[in-house]
């Protein structure tokens, strides 16, 4: 994958995570800076990357639509269904990259979405399984493997 492709994916993931409140505006600005360094360059991206940490939480919402449009990326309104699905995929990619364990991944998904989001229902069930490992007939490694398989499917969605 070319560095600009990876930077665009990382920016898109940060935007999705921002849309569900998983990361703050300064994280999105940081991803915009990384995208500029990687070779993506549009006027809107430059303005977004120029935000200070103090400005980020206030200005990101207004600056994102234009910057993302110029790059051909999706803007996810706060707490929208498309943003939730994209955020789940972004979290799956982060877990697969080793940023957190499979059990931490299922816990984050379960706490945020419970059993209400069809896309993550199996992950919520697997989080429940982690809680009952000592009473069941499955090992942690078996549950981890199933979480990893689910995460690979989710990561491939976008």
């Amino acid at each position: 994958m070319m560095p600009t492709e990876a930077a665009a994916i990382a920016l898109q993931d940060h935007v999705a995570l921002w849309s569900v409140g998983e990361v703050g505006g300064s994280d999105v600005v940081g991803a915009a800076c990384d995208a500029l360094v990687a070779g993506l360059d549009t006027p809107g991206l430059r303005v977004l990357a120029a935000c200070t940490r103090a400005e980020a939480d206030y200005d990101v919402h207004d600056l994102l639509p234009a910057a993302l449009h110029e790059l051909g990326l999706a803007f996810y309104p706060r707490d929208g269904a498309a943003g939730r699905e994209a955020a789940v995929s972004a979290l799956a990619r982060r877990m697969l990259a080793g940023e957190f364990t499979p059990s931490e991944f299922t816990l984050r998904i379960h706490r945020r979405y419970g059993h209400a989001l069809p896309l993550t229902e199996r992950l919520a069930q697997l989080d429940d399984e982690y809680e009952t490992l000592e009473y069941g007939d499955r090992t942690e490694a078996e549950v981890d493997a199933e979480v990893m398989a689910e995460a690979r499917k989710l990561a491939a969605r976008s």
Side-chain angles (χ1 to χ4, degrees):
M1 181 179 317
M2 294 174 50
T4 54
E5 276 183 79
I9 291 168
L11 178 60
Q12 187 72 83
D13 281 355
H14 276 83
V15 169
L17 294 170
W18 169 83
S19 78
V20 298
E22 189 77 30
V23 301
S26 62
D27 295 307
V28 174
V29 170
C33 291
D34 292 343
L36 278 172
V37 169
L40 295 176
D41 189 8
T42 67
L45 185 62
R46 280 184 246 134
V47 171
L48 180 61
C51 281
T52 66
R53 288 185 188 272
E55 297 168 331
D57 285 330
Y58 300 104
D59 293 345
V60 162
H61 187 272
D62 294 330
L63 298 173
L64 270 176
L68 295 173
H69 177 74
E70 291 169 354
L71 293 166
L73 300 175
F75 172 73
Y76 303 109
R78 294 292 256 185
D79 295 317
R84 283 191 294 274
E85 291 188 8
V88 168
S89 295
L91 287 172
R93 280 189 285 282
R94 285 182 166 197
M95 190 274 299
L96 291 169
E99 290 187 34
F100 38 88
T101 67
S103 63
E104 290 168 335
F105 173 57
T106 61
L107 180 62
R108 285 174 91 159
I109 295 296
H110 197 181
R111 281 188 178 163
R112 182 164 294 278
Y113 304 110
H115 291 267
L117 189 62
L119 180 66
T120 61
E121 170 60 21
R122 185 63 187 137
L123 292 172
Q125 292 169 351
L126 289 167
D127 184 53
D128 291 337
E129 285 193 39
Y130 280 116
E131 298 295 320
T132 61
L133 283 174
E134 64 186 85
Y135 309 109
D137 58 350
R138 294 183 70 184
T139 67
E140 184 173 358
E142 291 171 327
V143 178
D144 283 352
E146 190 171 344
V147 171
M148 297 288 279
E150 287 293 316
R152 281 190 286 280
K153 287 183 221 170
L154 291 168
R157 287 179 53 94
S158 52

